[in-house]
C-alpha cells in the first residue's frame, strides 16, 4: 500500500522564471503604465506574501497569467472603445454594488 494519492493534481502552467520581470517591463512601456504598474506591483506583492504563507506558487502564477491576458487583450479593448459602440445598455457593476450598500 502506498501513501501516495491515486491521482496528482494538474499543476498550472508555470511561467518562465523571467516572466514577471518581462511583464513589468511591458507594463512600464504601455500607455496605461501610470495605472497598471502600481496595480501589478500591488497584486504581485500580495501574491508573494500568500506564496510565503502557503508555500505555493499558484497565486504568483495566477497574477502573471492575468496580467499577460490583460496586455494581450488591451488592443482589442482599445479598438472596441475607439469604434464608438454604444455601451448604454451595459450595467455599471460599481454603481450596482453601491446601490446594494445603501
Amino acid at each position: 500500500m502506498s501513501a501516495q494519492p491515486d491521482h496528482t493534481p494538474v499543476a498550472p502552467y508555470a511561467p518562465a522564471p523571467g516572466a514577471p520581470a518581462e511583464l513589468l517591463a511591458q507594463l512600464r512601456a504601455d500607455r496605461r503604465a501610470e495605472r497598471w504598474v502600481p496595480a501589478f506591483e500591488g497584486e504581485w506583492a500580495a501574491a508573494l506574501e500568500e506564496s510565503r504563507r502557503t508555500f505555493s506558487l499558484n497565486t504568483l502564477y495566477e497574477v502573471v497569467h492575468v496580467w499577460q491576458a490583460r496586455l494581450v487583450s488591451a488592443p482589442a479593448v482599445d479598438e472596441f472603445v475607439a469604434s464608438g459602440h454604444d455601451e448604454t445598455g451595459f450595467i455599471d457593476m460599481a454603481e450596482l454594488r453601491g446601490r446594494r450598500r445603501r
Side-chain angles (χ1 to χ4, degrees), residues 22-23 33 35 37 39 48 50-51 59 64 66 70-71 81 85-86 97:
E22 277 182 36
L23 183 57
R35 289 173 303 169
V37 169
L48 195 55
E50 173 81 8
S51 177
T59 307
V64 170
V66 166
R70 283 184 181 141
L71 274 173
V81 171
H85 283 69
D86 183 9
R97 283 190 288 277

Side-chain angles (χ1 to χ4, degrees), residues 3 8-9 13-14 16 20-21 23-24 27 29 32 39 57 60 67 78 80 86 89 95:
T8 55
Y13 160 75
L23 183 57
L24 186 55
L27 291 171
R32 300 165 194 84
L57 298 175
L60 293 169
W67 280 96
D78 290 343
F80 176 80
D86 183 9
E95 182 180 329

Side-chain angles (χ1 to χ4, degrees), residues 4 17 40 47-48 55 57-58 73 89:
Q4 297 295 323
F40 171 77
L48 195 55
F55 297 99
L57 298 175
N58 288 339
S73 63

